[in-house]
Amino acid sequence: MLAYVIGVVLFALAICVSVALHEAGHMVTARMFGMRVRRYFVGFGPTVFSFRRGETEYGLKAIPLGGFCDIAGMTALDEVTPEEAPRAMWRFKAWKRTVVMSAGSITHFLLGFIVLFVMAATMGLPNVDMKPIAAQVSDCVQNATTVDQANNPVCKPGDPAPAKKAGILPGDQVLSVAGKPTPTWDDMVNQVQSLSGPVPVVVKRDGAERTFTVDIPKVTRPAVNGGTHSVGAVGIARATAIHYSVGGAFGGAASFTGDMFARTWDGLMAFPKRIPAVFNSIFGGERDPDTPVSVVGASRLGGEAVEAGLWQVFLLLLASLNFFIGVFNLLPLLPMDGGHIAIVWYERVRDWLRGLRGKPAGGPVDYTKLSAITMVLVVIGGGVTLLTVTADIVNPIRLQ
């Protein structure tokens, strides 16, 4: 129980730190361009303490759920003092404002990448694509009537050890068997099981391709529909995680980051249609593990991961949450940063088109005209948050 509580607290703390760094990204880039940053606070609610350094007030609020960075003149409608007016954010070029407003999301992306890099260089990254990478190379292969016997053979002198004898090592990725590409583990297994005798096997080791001749024997294995059948076997166990050297960890983390971006986008696109399932789960329905979770649910999963000693799962949850927040925040909807960025570039394109027609630049977008739409989105967002938090308390998703 203590490990679970520690995991929940650690995950919640990590989220608070990432949100604080999100706001720090806005602050650092705004100051870099010369904008006036009034305040940078971590948390909301009553002020616990604050101090002023230069022109910026820094502080901590009582409720450590988020934070804010107050930049003077984010829109032309914001009130600014005569001293602040020359450095109001809306006066700066569109690309500079875009950098400042996207800096929060970029910070989340960097945090997610750093987590994946650390994983790649230490515990490895999950083999989510089922690549045929050898975790272990067996000392022998034998006839077996159960899966357990096949996976844990009791070797005797003279038993064949095809992969080991050929020179295949743990960490090798099988690229082809007998000339047929094997992009996935299932592709490799199906190809091996259909063969017997000496065949060329191409593997990738340390970035280079090597070819080995593997003498594949036929052995007895349990059949899916009962009984047994005779298949080819080489004696390789699939790696559930891909391990990298420190040098290779960067490329591994970059590739995995791309995959996570794709999965995050797919998840966002499927988000609306999964909301009814979340609602049903509150009233006793089975909770679909693919339904959205709130910060509460993610923290609970983090606690379960720590309790079970699954630090890889804990870190993956943290990385995926940072990617989700980063992508979600860039959606072109107010009041998110992506909505402000969309308005900035609407003004830029509009003024460019007006210039082509010999007309002067138009005035800043009147945010008051968008307030109704903004409030609708805020209410919808608040409702979804309340719904997912309730579901995560009443009927949470669990690791097991």
Side-chain angles (χ1 to χ4, degrees), residues 237-391:
R238 180 177 65 87
T240 56
I242 303 175
H243 297 272
Y244 300 87
S245 64
V246 175
F250 186 90
S255 176
F256 201 87
T257 295
D259 293 339
M260 290 199 78
F261 269 123
R263 288 193 290 272
T264 298
W265 181 253
D266 291 341
L268 274 174
M269 294 300 98
F271 191 95
K273 68 181 182 181
R274 291 174 178 167
I275 294 300
V278 178
F279 183 83
N280 291 334
S281 69
I282 296 175
F283 299 97
E286 184 178 353
R287 183 75 184 270
D288 186 343
D290 288 332
T291 53
V293 297
S294 65
V295 172
V296 173
S299 297
R300 293 186 67 158
L301 288 171
E304 290 183 15
V306 171
E307 187 176 35
L310 302 174
W311 285 100
Q312 186 184 58
V313 174
F314 180 93
L315 293 173
L316 274 177
L317 283 169
L318 185 59
S320 62
L321 186 63
N322 271 286
F323 286 125
F324 178 83
I325 294 173
V327 172
F328 186 79
N329 192 57
L330 287 179
L331 292 178
L333 302 169
L334 289 173
M336 291 176 289
D337 292 332
H340 291 285
I341 293 172
I343 290 174
V344 166
W345 285 100
Y346 163 76
E347 292 176 343
R348 183 72 181 85
V349 172
R350 178 203 61 189
D351 292 345
W352 176 71
L353 292 174
R354 288 175 66 90
L356 292 179
R357 292 178 293 170
K359 295 184 177 182
V365 167
D366 187 352
Y367 275 72
T368 60
K369 294 180 179 179
L370 301 174
S371 59
I373 298 175
T374 302
M375 284 305 300
V376 170
L377 293 174
V378 169
V379 170
I380 292 174
V384 171
T385 300
L386 180 61
L387 184 68
T388 52
V389 168
T390 303

Side-chain angles (χ1 to χ4, degrees), residues 24-25 54 78 156 168-169 171 180 184 192 215 227-228 241 264 267 289 311 318 329 345 349 384:
D78 294 348
K156 300 185 297 292
I168 295 176
L169 300 175
K180 184 176 180 179
T184 69
V192 166
D215 191 2
T228 60
T264 298
W311 285 100
L318 185 59
N329 192 57
W345 285 100
V349 172
V384 171

Side-chain angles (χ1 to χ4, degrees), residues 66-142:
F68 62 92
C69 174
D70 180 14
I71 304 172
M74 288 190 66
T75 75
L77 299 179
D78 294 348
E79 292 185 7
V80 294
T81 66
E83 180 187 3
E84 295 171 337
R87 297 167 59 197
M89 183 175 177
W90 68 271
R91 293 182 179 276
F92 286 74
K93 291 183 177 180
W95 73 267
K96 292 184 178 181
R97 286 184 282 164
T98 300
V99 169
V100 173
M101 287 184 284
S102 62
S105 287
I106 292 172
T107 301
H108 284 297
F109 300 150
L110 288 174
L111 288 172
F113 176 80
I114 290 170
V115 170
L116 295 179
F117 175 80
V118 171
M119 289 179 64
T122 55
M123 62 185 69
L125 293 170
N127 186 9
V128 293
D129 294 327
M130 297 285 286
K131 294 178 180 178
I133 298 174
Q136 296 177 337
V137 178
S138 300
D139 291 330
C140 69
V141 294
Q142 295 177 325

Side-chain angles (χ1 to χ4, degrees), residues 200-225:
V201 175
V202 180
V203 306
K204 183 166 69 173
R205 180 186 299 170
D206 298 328
E209 293 187 11
R210 302 189 182 195
T211 302
F212 298 93
T213 299
V214 181
D215 191 2
I216 301 178
K218 286 288 188 179
V219 297
T220 300
R221 288 288 186 266
V224 175
N225 57 354

